[in-house]
Amino acid sequence: MDILFKNSFTLTEKILLECRVAYTKKLGKCLSVLGLIMTLFEFIRFYSVMNFKYKFLFTLFLFFFIYMLFFLPILRAKKMYKRYLIVHNYKPIQEFIDFYDDKFKVYESNGAIVSLSYSNIKKIYNKKNMLVLLCKGDLLVFIKKDGFEQGTYDDFKTFITTKTNLNF
């Protein structure tokens, strides 16, 4: 079994923050955006005629939805990175990913190995410097776009799209 593509990188908090969109569930995003829009609309509409109690409640709801939409994913990414550091005894986290014709393997610097078939990939997120594969069981696999040691990013993009039938 020949390795078709090989990718490696050092996992940092910056990478996790860039990929934070993958941590927010679709329902949470929809509810946050809907709540933010409704709260803003009601806030503008009724602000002049409301008494202080209702102005305070609307302001509280507005800040809650802004928190849910923007700050919660950032805090979750930071918490996830701290968990990674604890598991790896506060050493830099190296990840190596080998892509074969029928599966891919993720190797971590602590010796952990995960082998998955391409059918396990549910969604692919395309970020500025990274691809994030969301696999069954909410497993996230990060792929650095400029981290290919074997193969190129453009060839990999065609390959993964063909194997998963997913667009990104």
Side-chain angles (χ1 to χ4, degrees), residues 90-134:
Y90 297 96
K91 295 177 184 171
I93 304 161
Q94 290 283 336
E95 287 202 5
F96 309 93
I97 308 164
D98 295 340
F99 294 90
Y100 302 95
D101 191 41
D102 59 341
K103 64 182 175 181
F104 63 99
K105 288 185 178 181
V106 180
Y107 303 89
E108 289 190 354
S109 55
N110 69 348
I113 301 172
V114 176
S115 180
L116 296 164
S117 69
Y118 296 106
S119 61
N120 287 330
I121 300 173
K122 297 190 304 187
K123 185 155 176 111
I124 301 172
Y125 295 98
N126 188 6
K127 306 312 290 170
K128 182 180 174 185
N129 299 313
M130 302 289 292
L131 289 178
V132 181
L133 306 179
L134 176 61

Side-chain angles (χ1 to χ4, degrees), residues 8-83:
S8 66
F9 62 94
T10 302
L11 188 64
T12 63
E13 187 174 7
K14 183 180 177 183
I15 289 173
L16 286 176
L17 288 173
E18 178 184 338
C19 302
R20 70 183 181 264
V21 71
Y23 311 129
T24 309
K25 300 286 184 193
K26 287 181 185 179
L27 181 62
K29 288 180 192 176
C30 292
L31 290 176
S32 295
V33 169
L34 180 65
L36 182 63
I37 291 169
M38 287 175 49
T39 304
L40 281 172
F41 176 73
E42 292 298 320
F43 189 74
I44 292 167
R45 186 172 164 214
F46 293 117
Y47 192 76
S48 61
V49 295
M50 279 191 253
N51 63 24
F52 178 75
K53 179 181 172 183
Y54 292 114
K55 285 181 184 180
F56 176 75
L57 285 175
F58 276 115
T59 305
L60 188 64
F61 282 130
L62 179 67
F63 284 116
F64 173 74
F65 288 117
I66 289 172
Y67 172 79
M68 291 294 290
L69 192 60
F70 298 107
F71 296 112
L72 190 60
I74 292 170
L75 294 175
R76 289 186 68 193
K78 288 182 178 191
K79 186 176 180 181
M80 185 177 191
Y81 183 70
K82 286 179 185 177
R83 281 188 300 217

